[in-house]
Amino acid sequence: MKTITMISENKKNKDRVSIFADDEFLISCHKELIYKKSLRKGDKVDPDLLLELAREDEYMKAKDVALRSIERSLKTVHEIEKKLRDKEYTEDTIQRVIQFMEEYRLIDDYKYAETFFKEKLRTRGVKKARFELSNKGIPKDIMEKALDALSTSSVEEDSCLNLAEKKYAQLVKRETDPYKLKNKLYTFLMGKGYDYELISSTLRKVMESSE
């Protein structure tokens, strides 16, 4: 069993320290762990303690990465997990971080989905919004629950009509053939993720109002 001979603060990162045992470098870890474990010069260090320090230090670093990632924008559970896996943290560490962030409501897939639908359905259909959320790793049951809580039909109808009217105003300046104009509008709205029935009814309204 080795004896701690020095604990020195890292010059480049004052939150970290280096532990030396028997005058040889032993391990680097977060300063907070020194206080938690009440470590000081002269203490004995066994393999179990070293393993625990390494494990807790990895958790704290992973947690810092996750917290920094949500500073700019909300993230899904999947996005946080992917970021930590890309940095090669262990699965146990990743799940500890996820548990911490969920406990403190720093990540919430349902709230994320709800906010996403409220914002994005102003400019696209439910189909496309679902696809985008799926790419962010939101489970299907959470998506459906979030949609059920919103009055999506009226929101989607309003957004489809609004986009169609704006696009029509652009197209009519250079396209005089009604058939081609209607086809271009249809293709545009289809690309936004609206379904056939809603597009058809919307096109009727736009074309009729322009006559």
Side-chain angles (χ1 to χ4, degrees):
M1 189 177 292
K2 296 187 176 184
T3 302
I4 296 177
T5 50
M6 183 171 65
I7 300 175
S8 63
E9 188 177 85
N10 190 308
K11 292 181 180 179
K12 293 184 178 180
N13 186 347
K14 293 184 178 181
D15 289 330
R16 298 188 65 77
V17 297
S18 294
I19 301 175
F20 293 81
D22 297 340
D23 295 321
E24 294 182 351
F25 174 76
L26 187 64
I27 191 173
S28 175
C29 67
H30 199 285
K31 184 187 293 183
E32 185 180 323
L33 294 176
I34 300 300
Y35 300 122
K36 282 185 176 181
K37 300 300 179 183
S38 301
L39 296 178
R40 63 191 67 187
K41 183 178 178 180
D43 286 350
K44 300 294 184 181
V45 181
D46 60 27
D48 288 340
L49 177 58
L50 282 178
L51 184 61
E52 186 177 358
L53 285 174
R55 184 169 56 243
E56 291 303 308
D57 189 56
E58 180 181 77
Y59 167 65
M60 293 180 74
K61 287 191 286 189
K63 187 168 67 172
D64 285 343
V65 169
L67 290 173
R68 285 197 301 271
S69 74
I70 63 171
E71 287 179 353
R72 295 181 180 178
S73 62
L74 293 175
K75 296 290 189 299
T76 66
V77 170
H78 172 77
E79 288 173 326
I80 296 294
E81 288 178 335
K82 184 179 184 306
K83 189 171 190 66
L84 295 180
R85 287 192 185 108
D86 288 346
K87 291 186 175 292
E88 300 184 346
Y89 287 106
T90 65
E91 199 60 31
D92 285 345
T93 295
I94 292 171
Q95 294 312 313
R96 281 185 68 189
V97 171
I98 295 299
Q99 183 178 357
F100 163 80
M101 297 187 77
E102 288 182 329
E103 183 179 344
Y104 286 91
R105 299 182 180 180
L106 299 172
I107 50 174
D108 185 327
D109 278 357
Y110 174 76
K111 289 295 183 183
Y112 187 101
E114 190 177 47
T115 301
F116 186 90
F117 281 130
K118 283 180 180 179
E119 178 185 345
K120 301 301 182 181
L121 289 181
R122 298 172 186 167
T123 57
R124 68 206 70 187
V126 169
K127 185 190 299 183
K128 186 170 184 177
R130 273 203 192 100
F131 177 76
E132 291 170 342
L133 271 184
S134 179
N135 286 340
K136 291 177 178 291
I138 299 289
K140 186 177 179 180
D141 61 323
I142 292 179
M143 277 192 267
E144 297 309 315
K145 185 178 179 182
L147 279 171
D148 288 344
L150 301 172
S151 179
T152 56
S153 59
S154 60
V155 172
E156 195 175 28
E157 287 173 10
D158 290 344
S159 68
C160 186
L161 181 59
N162 183 50
L163 286 175
E165 289 175 338
K166 288 181 178 179
K167 191 65 176 178
Y168 177 86
Q170 295 173 0
L171 292 173
V172 75
K173 294 176 182 179
R174 56 182 184 273
E175 182 57 72
T176 56
D177 187 321
Y179 180 77
K180 291 181 179 179
L181 182 59
K182 188 174 181 179
N183 278 343
K184 288 180 179 180
L185 269 177
Y186 177 86
T187 301
F188 169 74
L189 294 175
M190 183 64 74
K192 290 293 182 179
Y194 297 104
D195 63 39
Y196 174 77
E197 290 185 2
L198 178 56
I199 293 175
S200 297
S201 63
T202 300
L203 289 181
R204 282 196 297 272
K205 292 177 184 177
V206 173
M207 301 306 287
E208 287 172 2
S209 65
S210 64
E211 292 177 354

